């Protein structure tokens, strides 16, 4: 079977005839890969197709060595998958990769029996040891990477714009004849017109090309290098939080819905994410300029800062610097380089993320992943760049809010620490609030008896003066549901003025005290409030009455069931009417 990679056009032969399996099994496995990697499948990368092919090859090899090779797909049994698991039980990372591939390939196969499919999907995938977690860069590491990227972008911009000005002067006849500058201008004219430099009859570049700096230096005055294209892609990935693999395939063609005249500019770029499947792989990326609040920046430093924080401006600069290479090669990619040595563009074959990102990072002084040490310069990884960008933006990019929350932010150590801080602060606030709103002190019958015998000692025990305690015991300080220590020092009124709060608020006031002679009213009020709950909106009822009911029940717990039953029988008509006035709001109008 021949696999063609959609983006690069590369092809590769996947040979299933070498599998140690019967012909029926070979054909079935070829059909599995064709379904997964075909036009309607979700896998479009050559590396993915090769991985599927290798996984199936290892699966059949393990079964053949165990002498349990099925002759057709319907003969695959749970025992076959268990043999494969046993083979790699000491290598959980490898087993995890293999099982993920087998599940993707076989879960929808009609030839596989339900029993075998259930066994393949029944167990949890083994955890890789050690666990590989994508960790965001620290602020210092992020600054080091961004500084290097911006330096490359700035250097390429200044060089190519200088080359374009020299070419313009050469075409206008402004250069001194016979000068080195004039010779270089003629070289640029030939490169811009033909895509090549002067050559001898043998096809080799002329000596004057080397005297003027060499082919790469001359063409670099009008074209980006591959490392510079990589830097642009990494910077745009960092600014937009898009996948590096998605960004590098952006086209030069785009749409400006604002017409290019609106202060808040935006460009719409088509992008492709094959892993989303054929029905959802095509998406639109919105490249925005900085907010309008920064549109009035005029000095050079602010303009530079705006450029390197604006996805739209970086994208526009990229198109400007690659326009010559795109015209010479007839390519439509936004990321493109051109070299007369290859006589072609580096548009299709330049994008191996592992190779080119590694080359860019190591030539800029960043270590490889194995050589990176704590406290030193970080290793540049595209997955960590996106993770960091998403943590900084905190909004979904080319995925759902659930994916951002449950996948990217959930695994973030920074977000976990911030979450613990937020939750801890909220819990401490609730504890403080609960301590501030303590239960109402209840004067029990035993306390009333002691106060009757010795008022002064009881007043000291209650933290009140003797006169105030006396008025509380005689009912002079009663409100509706409790007694008030001092109605001239209410929580919501200035000192010296009578409290205007609702009588329900007495249950949350530090001035309130509960006494035994108020128990009949408290029981009746609690029962009336609970009776209104079935006929009221739940949220409204909780907001208005839940706290009052909780406080009343806290008071009632200080009494025995017999005491509560006796108090319930002592409720008078006047007290019942008072409760009616309280619940109807008539008392609040006085």
């Amino acid at each position: 079977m021949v696999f063609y990679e959609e983006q690069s056009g590369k092809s590769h032969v996947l040979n299933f005839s070498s599998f140690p399996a019967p012909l029926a099994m070979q054909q079935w496995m070829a059909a599995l890969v064709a379904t997964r990697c075909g036009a309607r499948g979700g896998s479009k990368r050559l590396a993915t197709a090769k991985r599927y092919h290798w996984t199936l090859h290892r699966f059949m090899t393990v079964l053949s060595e165990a002498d349990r090779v099925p002759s057709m797909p319907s003969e695959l049994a749970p025992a076959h998958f268990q043999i494969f698991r046993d083979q790699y039980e000491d290598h959980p990372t490898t087993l995890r990769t293999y099982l993920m591939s087998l599940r993707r390939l076989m879960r929808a196969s009609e030839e596989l029996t339900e029993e075998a499919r259930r066994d393949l999907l029944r167990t949890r995938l083994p955890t890789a040891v050690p666990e590989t977690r994508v960790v965001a860069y620290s602020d210092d590491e992020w600054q080091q990477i961004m500084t290097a990227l911006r330096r490359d972008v700035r250097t390429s911009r200044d060089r190519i714009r200088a080359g374009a000005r020299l070419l313009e002067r050469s075409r206008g006849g402004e250069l001194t004849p016979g000068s080195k500058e004039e010779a270089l201008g003629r070289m640029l004219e030939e490169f811009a017109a033909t895509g090549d430099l002067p050559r001898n009859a043998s096809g080799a570049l002329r000596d004057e090309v080397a005297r003027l700096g060499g082919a790469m230096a001359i063409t670099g005055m009008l074209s980006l290098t591959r490392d510079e294209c990589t830097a642009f892609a990494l910077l745009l990935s960092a600014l937009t939080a898009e996948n590096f693999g998605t960004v590098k395939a952006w086209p030069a063609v785009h749409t400006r819905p604002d017409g290019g005249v609106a202060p808040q500019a935006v460009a719409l770029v088509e992008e492709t994410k094959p892993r989303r499947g054929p029905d959802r792989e095509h998406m639109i990326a919105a490249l925005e300029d900085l907010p309008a609040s920064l549109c009035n920046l005029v000095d050079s430093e602010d303009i530079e800062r705006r450029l390197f924080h604006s996805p739209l401006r970086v994208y526009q600069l990229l198109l400007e610097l690659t326009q010559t290479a795109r015209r010479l090669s007839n390519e439509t990619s936004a990321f493109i380089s051109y070299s007369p040595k290859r006589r072609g563009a580096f548009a299709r074959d330049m994008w191996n993320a592992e190779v080119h990102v590694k080359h860019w990072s190591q030539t800029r002084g960043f270590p490889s992943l194995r050589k990176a040490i704590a406290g030193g310069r970080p290793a540049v990884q595209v997955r960590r760049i996106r993770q960091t960008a998403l943590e900084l933006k905190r909004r979904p990019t080319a995925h759902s809010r659930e994916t951002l929350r449950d996948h990217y932010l959930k695994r973030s150590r920074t977000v976990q620490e911030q979450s613990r801080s937020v939750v801890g602060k909220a819990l401490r606030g609730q504890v403080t609030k609960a301590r501030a709103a303590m239960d109402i002190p209840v004067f029990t019958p035993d306390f009333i008896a002691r106060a009757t015998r010795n008022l002064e000692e009881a007043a000291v025990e209650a933290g009140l003066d003797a006169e105030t305690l006396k008025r509380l015991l005689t009912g002079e300080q009663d409100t509706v549901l409790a007694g008030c220590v001092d109605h001239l020092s209410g929580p919501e009124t200035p000192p010296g003025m009578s409290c205007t709060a609702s009588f329900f608020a007495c249950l949350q006031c530090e001035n309130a005290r509960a006494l035994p002679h108020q128990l009949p009213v408290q029981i009746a009020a609690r029962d009336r409030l609970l009776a209104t709950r079935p006929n009221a909106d739940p949220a409204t009822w909780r907001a208005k009455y839940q706290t009052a009911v909780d406080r009343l029940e806290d008071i009632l717990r200080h009494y025995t069931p017999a005491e509560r039953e006796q108090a319930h029988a002592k409720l008078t008509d006047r007290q019942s009417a008072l409760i009616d006035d309280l619940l109807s709001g008539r008392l609040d109008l006085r």
Side-chain angles (χ1 to χ4, degrees):
M1 183 175 70
V2 181
F3 175 82
Y4 294 91
E5 190 170 47
E6 185 176 283
Q7 291 188 350
S8 68
K10 294 180 180 179
S11 63
H12 182 77
V13 176
L14 301 175
N15 183 11
F16 292 86
S17 63
S18 61
F19 285 15
L23 178 61
M25 291 295 293
Q26 295 175 358
Q27 293 174 339
W28 177 63
M29 291 187 172
L32 292 179
V33 176
T35 300
R36 183 69 187 177
C37 300
R40 300 294 298 174
S43 301
K44 304 294 181 67
R45 309 289 186 187
L46 178 56
T48 305
K50 288 181 178 180
R51 183 169 67 250
Y52 288 149
H53 180 267
W54 175 251
T55 299
L56 293 173
H57 181 271
R58 291 305 308 156
F59 181 63
M60 296 311 303
T61 300
V62 170
L63 295 187
S64 66
E65 293 173 351
D67 297 328
R68 296 292 299 274
V69 182
S71 60
M72 58 184 60
S74 59
E75 295 182 6
L76 270 175
H80 295 113
F81 294 116
Q82 190 58 48
I83 291 173
F84 190 68
R85 293 189 191 97
D86 294 341
Q87 178 70 22
Y88 292 98
E89 62 179 352
D90 295 331
H91 305 278
T93 303
T94 302
L95 179 58
R96 178 184 179 88
T97 302
Y98 285 164
L99 288 179
M100 288 176 64
S101 297
L102 290 178
R103 288 182 176 185
R104 291 182 183 130
L105 290 169
M106 297 182 180
R107 70 169 66 228
S109 176
E110 297 180 355
E111 290 86 351
L112 196 65
T113 64
E114 187 62 31
E115 183 183 12
R117 182 185 297 104
R118 189 183 307 111
D119 184 81
L120 177 61
L121 302 176
R122 67 177 171 83
T123 56
R124 295 185 62 182
L125 292 173
T127 302
V129 180
E131 182 183 359
T132 56
R133 175 180 293 183
V134 180
V135 181
Y137 290 109
S138 66
D139 291 342
D140 181 62
E141 293 172 336
W142 185 250
Q143 188 61 39
Q144 292 182 55
I145 296 173
M146 296 300 288
T147 299
L149 293 174
R150 291 165 181 159
R151 181 173 57 246
D152 272 17
V153 170
R154 188 182 294 110
T155 300
S156 63
R157 177 198 61 187
D158 296 343
R159 183 189 71 245
I160 294 178
R161 284 182 174 176
R165 288 194 297 269
L166 179 61
L167 176 60
E168 189 67 24
R169 292 175 59 200
S170 176
R171 289 172 174 173
E174 301 176 12
L175 303 179
T176 304
S179 64
K180 182 178 180 180
E181 192 179 43
E182 188 266 344
L184 184 57
R186 284 189 287 104
M187 288 284 183
L188 292 178
E189 284 193 61
E190 182 163 349
F191 174 69
T194 66
D196 204 354
L197 296 175
R199 297 179 181 272
N200 297 323
S202 63
L205 294 173
R206 295 180 184 176
D207 294 340
E208 60 180 320
V209 175
R211 288 197 299 271
L212 293 174
M216 296 304 295
I218 295 173
T219 58
M221 297 182 70
L222 295 178
S223 175
L224 294 174
T225 65
R226 280 186 291 184
D227 278 348
E228 290 168 346
C229 284
T230 302
F232 265 100
L234 288 172
L235 180 59
L236 283 169
S237 178
L239 293 178
T240 62
E242 292 274 6
N243 280 316
F244 177 83
T246 302
V247 171
K248 70 185 183 181
W250 279 353
V253 179
H254 60 279
T255 301
R256 290 290 298 274
D258 60 320
V261 297
Q264 190 71 27
V266 63
L268 303 181
V269 181
E270 292 188 9
E271 63 182 18
T272 303
K273 297 189 71 173
R275 286 185 300 173
R276 293 168 58 91
D279 299 329
R280 302 172 60 240
E281 62 178 325
H282 296 288
M283 305 181 66
I284 299 295
L287 307 184
E288 300 174 317
D289 199 0
L290 285 187
S293 59
L294 298 179
C295 288
N296 296 325
L297 302 179
V298 293
D299 60 78
S300 59
E301 181 179 353
D302 285 340
I303 292 175
E304 285 286 290
R305 182 162 57 88
R306 184 179 181 187
L307 166 66
F308 292 118
H309 288 79
S310 168
L312 175 60
R313 290 176 179 266
V314 174
Y315 177 71
Q316 289 175 326
L317 178 61
L318 172 67
L319 299 186
E320 174 193 338
L321 303 184
T322 55
Q323 58 182 341
T324 299
R326 200 160 31 252
R327 175 175 53 80
L328 293 174
S329 61
N330 292 322
E331 291 282 351
T332 60
S333 174
F335 299 88
I336 189 170
S337 180
Y338 193 91
S339 171
K341 288 187 175 181
R342 293 192 178 186
R343 301 187 184 184
F346 301 147
R348 293 184 178 276
D349 61 345
M350 67 176 294
W351 290 115
N352 185 312
E354 181 177 356
V355 173
H356 292 101
V357 172
K358 181 179 179 181
H359 182 268
W360 176 87
S361 62
Q362 294 186 0
T363 54
R364 270 65 179 176
F366 294 96
S368 63
L369 185 60
R370 293 183 178 179
K371 295 182 179 180
I373 58 175
R377 304 197 80 184
V380 179
Q381 296 176 277
V382 295
R383 295 180 66 193
R384 291 186 69 186
I385 286 179
R386 191 182 192 216
Q387 178 72 29
T388 307
L390 286 171
E391 291 185 21
L392 293 173
K393 291 169 69 71
R394 299 293 175 92
R395 65 181 185 185
T397 302
H399 52 243
S400 65
R401 290 186 179 276
E402 290 73 17
T403 300
L404 175 68
R405 180 192 64 214
D406 298 337
H407 180 68
Y408 290 101
L409 297 184
K410 184 178 180 180
R411 70 187 182 189
S412 166
R413 294 176 181 174
T414 302
V415 174
Q416 291 173 3
E417 293 174 359
Q418 293 176 349
S419 300
R420 284 192 290 268
S421 176
V422 171
V423 172
K425 182 178 180 180
L427 292 177
R428 287 190 294 271
Q430 291 299 315
V431 171
T432 302
K433 182 179 179 181
R435 287 175 176 172
M438 296 184 295
D439 293 343
I440 296 176
V442 177
F443 293 163
T444 63
D446 291 339
F447 176 82
I448 300 298
R450 292 197 302 273
T452 302
R453 292 191 300 270
N454 191 327
L455 184 64
E456 296 294 337
E457 289 184 3
V460 173
E461 182 182 344
L464 301 171
D465 60 82
E467 185 61 29
T468 300
L469 178 59
K470 180 180 179 180
R471 290 197 300 269
L472 284 172
L473 296 178
T474 59
E476 296 178 36
Q477 300 287 96
D478 283 1
T479 56
V480 176
L481 301 173
C484 182
V485 172
D486 186 2
H487 71 283
L488 298 180
S489 61
E492 300 179 1
T493 54
M497 294 185 62
S498 297
C499 180
T500 59
S502 169
F503 287 113
F504 274 122
C506 293
L507 296 173
Q508 304 178 55
C509 181
E510 60 182 8
N511 293 330
R513 300 292 186 272
L515 293 98
H517 69 267
Q518 297 161 348
L519 185 57
V521 178
Q522 293 162 353
I523 294 175
R526 190 277 311 265
D527 294 342
R528 299 274 186 91
L529 291 175
L530 291 177
T532 64
R533 182 162 57 180
N535 302 317
D537 175 69
T540 303
W541 189 91
R542 285 194 299 269
K544 293 180 64 176
Y545 302 129
Q546 185 67 63
T547 301
V549 169
D550 292 341
R551 293 302 178 88
L552 289 170
E553 290 183 341
D554 286 338
I555 295 173
L556 301 185
R557 276 194 285 268
H558 287 80
Y559 300 93
T560 65
E563 290 172 334
R564 292 198 296 268
E565 185 175 353
Q566 292 175 5
H568 186 272
K570 294 179 180 179
L571 182 68
T572 66
D573 293 340
R574 180 179 176 278
Q575 291 173 327
S576 180
L578 189 63
I579 296 172
D580 290 338
D581 291 340
L582 176 65
L583 296 181
S584 63
R586 286 191 291 272
L587 292 181
D588 294 335
L589 299 178
R590 294 183 179 180

